[in-house]
Amino acid sequence: MGGSIPTLLSNDAASCIAVAERMIALGTLDGTVHMLDFLGNQVKEFAAHTAAVNDLSFDIDGEYVGSCSDDGSVVIHSLFTDEKMKFDYHRPMKAIALDPEYSRKTSRRFVAGGLAGHLYFNSKKWLGYRDQVLHSGEGPIHAVKWRTSLIAWANDAGVKVYDAANDQRITFIERPRGSPRPELLLPHLVWQDDSLLVIGWGTSVKIASIRTNEYNGTNGTYKHIPAASMNKVDIVASFQTSYYISGIAPFGDSLVVLAYISGQEDGEKEFSSAIPSRQGNAQRPEVRVVTWNNDELATDALPVHGFEHYKAKDYSLAHSPFSGSSYAGGQWAAGDEPLYYIVSPKDVVIAKPRDAEDHIAWLLQHGWHEKALAAVEAGQARSELLDEVGSRYLDHLIVERKYAEAASLCPKLLQGSATAWERWVFHFAHLRQLPVLVPYIPTENPRLRDTAYEVALVALATNSSFHKDLLSTVKSWPSVIYSALPVISAIEPQLNTSSMTDALKEALAELYVIGGQYEKACSLYADLMKPGIFEFIEKHNLHDAIREMVVQLMILDCKRAVPLFIQNKDLIPPAEVVSQLLAARNKCDSRYFLHVYLHSLFEANPHAGKDFHDMQVELYADYDPKMLLPFLRSSQHYTLEKAYDICVKRDLLREQVFILGRMGNSKKALAVIIKELGDIEEAVEFVTMQHDDELWEELIKQCLHKPEMVGVLLEHTVGNLDPLYIVNMVPNGLEIPRLRDCLVKIVTDYRTETSLRHGCNDILKADCVNLLVKYYKEARRGVCLSSEGDDARAISDGSRDSQATERTLSMRTMEVKSKTRGDSRCCMCFDPFSIQNVSVIVFFCCHAYHMTCLMDSMHTNSSLQPRVSPEPRRKTRI
């Protein structure tokens, strides 16, 4: 206890204490009674005695305090008035107890006793205060306690209980055998409730259940029960301790014992010696919580000054009174705080049951931080305590170099405190252990400052062991919570160094994307061979950037890269693609990639890669020989000699035939077909396409050396060559396989061909006759002469009857379509033919003339040149 206590006891010593509901009374060796509040601050002071105060007592309401002293006096003070009563007994008084209802009754009763051996029962009568000796003759009175109507006191013989209501003694409890003399080790009495008396004497504890012949009736009245109808006392618990008892008090269903542990080997010798020992070898007094069966629940040694020199009787124990209904029950009520006060000459120690926070503090003190944290999380303490416990736990782990464990606990301990998170982020960074904390750093609720996230990413980037963690962190963290530039600046110096890993390179690419530097990101993705680079290029329109990454894209996926190059051949011309692939011979199968690219390019535009067609011939020969012949037929930009040499080296016969044909060496080509391929059908087809009679003779000559080919030749030359010519050239006696079948087939085919020709001639003649008849009929028909204006007027005049007009026009249109049209004007005078009684001549070529104009012209021409018969004409009179 602090407050005024240190000052008061600096020049004095405490001797006893009493506790009321509202204040504390402390007696000292100089005879003063100090009234204190519960913080130890002095409220009042009574210079009640001239010698040491031995005992103090409050009434139940806490309005009066009584004290007794070695000066033989008993003094009772009112705490709220100036009332004071002093009683002098001329012998040292050791114990006093006020009537619990002292302030409520006019009798003003109290009991007191001392070395005289008399227990005085003092009460106020009509004529003043009168003392009644309740007991005497069994030695000094060492302790006395009053509860309701029961008064318990201890003398050298033991403990007696007196019932003031019935004016009779109830019981006697004998002093424990072998206990030290009372003046050396005082007995201690305390009422737990209205019927339980706890006795601590020497090393013995007894709990007595007192039964009187009265019990409380309704409204606080007493009802009398015959004394013979019930027992007086039962000892409900009794046990021996290994220590001496300097104080005792109830603690729920347990007891609080102030234990004195002697420093001498033989403790009994200390109390049996008549001469006080001042060797200073006593141990610290202890507060022990024990059950009624002496099961120890807790032990605490007290930090008392000068404990080495104190004896058991130098200590005393008091507890705050039970309040309200808990007074009668002897149990602490809900919400009450059990307080115990231990007095030594120079200290007053406050003891109270350990709560969760005390338990947590004790766990922290002993280094059990994990248990302390578990206790806080279980809700056993204020939530505010979590910060303190968490901080101390983290500090402990940091000291133990358990950085990973400390980092894993941060989300639980720091929770939503952004300030705390930032503090620990920078603390881990200072310790160069930030990478282990990064996975636990929150990105929202709370969101930290940008600097905290940037420091964390830089810490990952500068440690090669955490590059993969950096990549996953960059991908998982929202890009809005930090700036990518500081992290990029920390990574870029590592490019092209041994510390540059693929994970770090990919993380840098991701940071470039966040910073909007897409071309740099694309270049890194290409180096890393990321399949998603093609979508990335399309998404961000990075076609200009692919110029420098041809090889990487082809290695990654040539099927997707080739269309990309072809679509953007204006940005990256074929020559650039080819040169990069040729330069990468040591990195990949560049020739295959060239084949794929040039083949696709040729299919898209046969002339786009014409400069590389010689190369393409060789590529087709190596990777896709089936496509070589179509290529040779389609392209005009390769060198025939080089192509032929390639085909010869790779034994590509049909390709040789085609090239020889284009080179004009048809005979050699034919020899290849016959000798190498042995395909007479292809030979016939080849000769047919060449349209060269000499080549037919060459074919026949070469086939005559192989009789089996003659029959095949006969079968396939029908329609191209006269079979009789071939038969005539066959030497006599040459045996030809299947000759009969071939001849039969030839004759049959010839008959069929002849029949088809006759049929075709008949059809041709019939068509000619039909066409001549048609031509004749057409020539005999009249020619319609009309003008656009005449037709328009006719249509306008017929608008009155639309249906009739439509029908008439439709019929006329059909008629006109089958006739030849002429102009309605004379081709000489250009006058219209609408003049009456004028003859008109219309030629079959549709030229029309007035007769008069034509005759005049004929006369004129006849005088200038020989007469020429005119065109066939038709004469029409209008």
Side-chain angles (χ1 to χ4, degrees), residues 386-387 410-422 442 444-448:
L386 179 63
D387 295 338
C410 282
K412 181 192 298 184
L413 302 179
L414 306 182
Q415 296 183 349
S417 174
T419 303
W421 269 107
E422 291 173 2
E444 59 180 0
N445 299 324
R447 175 177 169 180
L448 313 184

Side-chain angles (χ1 to χ4, degrees), residues 286-531:
E286 296 179 355
V287 174
R288 301 193 178 194
V289 179
V290 297
T291 66
W292 287 9
N293 296 321
N294 198 26
D295 295 328
E296 191 169 295
L297 304 179
T299 302
D300 287 280
L302 300 179
V304 176
H305 295 92
F307 64 90
E308 303 92 344
H309 306 289
Y310 296 153
K311 301 298 180 182
K313 67 177 182 178
D314 294 329
Y315 299 102
S316 60
L317 171 66
H319 67 88
S320 57
F322 301 116
S323 61
S325 60
S326 63
Y327 174 81
Q331 299 285 343
W332 297 106
D336 288 346
E337 184 179 22
L339 294 176
Y340 297 83
Y341 298 87
I342 299 97
V343 175
S344 71
K346 294 295 182 180
D347 295 285
V348 177
V349 179
I350 303 173
K352 60 182 179 180
R354 294 189 181 277
D355 56 13
E357 295 187 12
D358 294 325
H359 175 60
I360 292 168
W362 182 81
L363 290 173
L364 292 175
Q365 182 180 358
H366 288 78
W368 294 337
H369 298 84
E370 187 173 358
K371 292 183 178 180
L373 178 61
V376 175
E377 292 177 339
Q380 299 178 7
R382 295 175 291 109
S383 59
E384 295 81 1
L385 195 61
L386 179 63
D387 295 338
E388 179 184 352
V389 173
S391 180
R392 293 184 60 175
Y393 192 11
L394 292 177
D395 287 335
H396 167 72
L397 293 174
I398 294 298
V399 171
E400 296 292 326
R401 298 182 181 275
K402 298 178 179 179
Y403 303 111
E405 184 178 353
S408 65
L409 289 173
C410 282
K412 181 192 298 184
L413 302 179
L414 306 182
Q415 296 183 349
S417 174
T419 303
W421 269 107
E422 291 173 2
R423 180 168 59 87
W424 280 103
V425 165
F426 292 116
H427 187 49
F428 271 81
H430 177 71
L431 297 172
R432 298 182 181 277
Q433 297 296 326
L434 186 54
V436 300
L437 180 62
V438 171
Y440 307 100
I441 298 177
T443 57
E444 59 180 0
N445 299 324
R447 175 177 169 180
L448 313 184
R449 290 180 296 172
D450 297 355
T451 309
Y453 297 112
E454 293 161 7
V455 169
L457 293 176
V458 170
L460 294 175
T462 53
N463 191 329
S464 59
S465 301
F466 296 96
H467 286 174
K468 292 183 178 179
D469 296 327
L470 172 65
L471 176 59
S472 61
T473 303
V474 170
K475 289 182 176 180
S476 61
W477 279 3
S479 59
V480 297
I481 65 175
Y482 63 91
S483 173
L485 293 178
V487 189
I488 292 173
S489 300
I491 298 176
E492 284 182 337
Q494 301 182 57
L495 286 172
N496 303 321
T497 64
S498 59
S499 62
M500 193 65 179
T501 61
D502 287 347
L504 183 60
K505 188 178 292 186
E506 186 175 354
L508 179 59
E510 295 289 339
L511 292 168
Y512 279 142
V513 173
I514 293 172
Q517 303 180 50
Y518 300 116
E519 291 188 2
K520 291 183 177 180
C522 186
S523 176
L524 292 176
Y525 284 144
D527 292 341
L528 294 169
M529 310 298 289
K530 287 295 180 181

